[in-house]
Amino acid sequence: MTATSSAAGPCAGGVTVDRSDPARRAWVAQAVRRIEADAQRSADTHLLRFPLPSEVGVDLYLKDESTHVTGSLKHRLARSLFLYALCNGWLGEGTTVIESSSGSTAVSEAYFARLIGVPFVAVMPRWTSPEKISLIQAQGGRCHLVDDAAAIYDESRRLAAACGGHYMDQFTHAERATDWRGNNNIAESIFEQLTLERYPVPEWIVTAAGTGGTSATIGRYVRYRGHATRLCVPDPENSAFFPAWCASDPSVTGGGSKIEGIGRPRVEPSFVGQVIDRMMTVPDSCSVAAMRAVEKVLGRKVGPSTGTNLWTAFSLAAEMRDAGAAGSIVALLCDSGDRYADSYYDDDWVAAQGWDLGPATEIVSEFLRSGRWPDSAAGR
């Protein structure tokens, strides 16, 4: 840094402060190029048609985010967060990236950290699935586990300060790091892929919230484009999002969530409730029953947050049928169920959570057979 002043006085030239660093700028430019090149090599994710009984009369699609190279919806977020941090001047060569995460975001951020050659540390609850921990480590990341989920924020800041690193803070920056007007965001992708379908403008898009960034992007985009599409955000048990949204009070807190990746003990800064048209709570047993039940339909396993989305999409489809309304619904398929073989797909683990999947499994199975959905079911 240099500072100079003119002998003729401040009006003649003033003081100049120069913080330019050509080497750092060159490194940032190369890092951005590597991330953009990675995106250029990647194809868009599929929009799958989910077969519903003909009696329903609604077209249901799943936006399959599991096909990203890091296996989840969070790949998009991680790419945006890294570009945002680089272009804001927060990352330099050798900067350690710290992130608070329940798993999938950390997997994706570890990938991008390795891509640009910086260390990565994920701060996660101790009960994060072993499969996700292994995936983070396989990408070159390190896992720092804490006993209290609410402590991940302060612990991330502490670690970043201790090593002179950067706390990425997905929960604050998710909604601002993504260009919600387009630029190949998930909302633009959905509408482009629906162009030739029977109902190209969906009645509903369903996505649960973790950071709130994806729901904010979709909600803003549909308004920007003037679509009539409504956004439904289901929320798992004990999460703060639903009661805070109902009360229009972001200070409301909850006990957290047992559905990995969604629901939070507090309302995160990236949660933009004003763009959400409807919220509903989904019992954990219903999320898990739905994720398991659709395996026979899809021919593969999906994760628990996808189960939350599907339970809600089935309910909305039945509601449209009852109202005699035709149209389409899009729900997000967030990640693969292969990451949860030792948890949500393990009967002993499920029983230890106190969940009885029987009633919810029967509801989903009956809906997939006949299109009937009981009014008494959660979410209706």
Side-chain angles (χ1 to χ4, degrees):
M1 178 179 74
T2 62
T4 61
S5 62
S6 169
C11 292
V15 176
T16 299
V17 177
D18 190 344
R19 290 191 174 127
S20 63
D21 184 343
R24 182 183 177 94
R25 287 284 293 275
W27 183 88
V28 168
Q30 181 60 25
V32 170
R33 182 179 178 85
R34 287 178 180 175
I35 293 173
E36 292 290 88
D38 179 80
Q40 190 71 19
R41 293 191 300 271
S42 303
D44 199 0
T45 59
H46 300 299
L47 191 66
L48 307 177
R49 182 79 175 268
F50 188 97
L52 293 179
S54 58
E55 294 86 348
V56 178
V58 173
D59 296 342
L60 175 60
Y61 303 87
L62 302 182
K63 182 61 170 165
D64 186 4
E65 295 293 283
S66 72
T67 56
H68 284 295
V69 67
T70 56
S72 82
L73 167 67
K74 299 301 185 180
H75 190 84
R76 294 179 189 269
L77 172 60
R79 179 194 293 132
S80 295
L81 288 170
F82 267 83
L83 290 173
Y84 190 67
L86 286 164
C87 295
N88 277 330
W90 296 339
L91 293 184
E93 188 173 8
T95 302
T96 298
V97 174
I98 313 290
E99 182 61 286
S100 307
S101 173
S102 62
S104 288
T105 302
V107 175
S108 299
E109 287 193 20
Y111 170 87
F112 286 106
R114 184 168 68 172
L115 184 67
I116 66 173
V118 297
F120 177 77
V121 179
V123 181
M124 302 183 297
R126 194 169 298 279
W127 56 85
T128 299
S129 68
E131 292 86 355
K132 283 191 177 178
I133 291 173
S134 296
L135 288 170
I136 294 164
Q137 294 170 337
Q139 295 291 352
R142 183 167 66 86
C143 299
H144 182 86
L145 305 181
V146 298
D147 294 319
D148 181 5
I152 60 175
Y153 314 97
D154 289 341
E155 184 64 5
S156 296
R157 294 186 186 93
R158 186 192 70 77
L159 289 177
C163 70
H166 171 64
Y167 174 31
M168 192 69 85
D169 194 3
Q170 59 163 324
F171 298 108
T172 295
H173 297 128
E175 59 88 11
R176 63 194 69 171
T178 301
D179 185 353
W180 50 267
R181 292 169 296 184
N183 194 20
N184 196 34
N185 68 36
I186 189 170
E188 182 179 57
S189 175
I190 288 170
F191 280 91
E192 286 184 354
Q193 290 175 320
L194 283 172
T195 301
L196 300 181
E197 298 301 306
R198 179 167 60 157
Y199 304 111
V201 176
E203 291 294 313
W204 292 99
I205 295 179
V206 179
T207 178
T211 62
T214 299
S215 59
T217 295
I218 293 172
R220 288 165 170 165
Y221 182 85
V222 296
R223 285 162 174 75
Y224 178 64
R225 292 298 182 188
H227 296 306
T229 302
R230 289 170 288 173
L231 173 64
C232 182
V233 175
D235 206 31
E237 289 181 58
N238 300 315
S239 170
F241 288 136
F242 178 77
W245 184 79
C246 290
S248 298
D249 181 1
S251 69
V252 171
T253 59
S257 167
K258 289 186 177 181
I259 302 299
E260 195 168 305
I262 59 173
R264 300 297 303 162
R266 70 175 197 182
V267 177
E268 303 296 348
S270 285
F271 182 79
V272 183
Q274 294 85 348
V275 302
I276 297 170
D277 296 290
R278 181 187 293 188
M279 290 194 71
M280 59 178 69
T281 57
V282 177
D284 295 339
S285 60
C286 297
S287 295
V288 180
M291 71 176 268
R292 287 182 167 205
V294 299
E295 181 181 356
K296 293 179 181 179
V297 179
L298 295 174
R300 58 189 177 95
K301 294 179 170 66
V302 298
S305 59
T306 301
T308 306
N309 291 338
L310 282 169
W311 178 271
T312 304
F314 296 158
S315 173
L316 291 171
E319 180 182 298
M320 289 175 61
R321 178 209 58 201
D322 293 346
S328 60
I329 298 172
V330 177
L332 267 60
L333 194 166
C334 304
D335 63 1
S336 168
D338 295 337
R339 297 179 171 187
Y340 308 98
D342 295 330
S343 52
Y344 299 91
Y345 281 99
D346 182 273
D347 290 338
D348 291 337
W349 186 91
V350 167
Q353 310 309 308
W355 296 332
D356 177 8
L357 306 187
T361 298
E362 191 162 330
I363 288 172
V364 174
S365 298
E366 177 62 26
F367 175 75
L368 294 177
R369 280 195 304 270
S370 67
R372 290 193 294 271
W373 188 269
D375 289 339
S376 59
R380 290 298 304 278

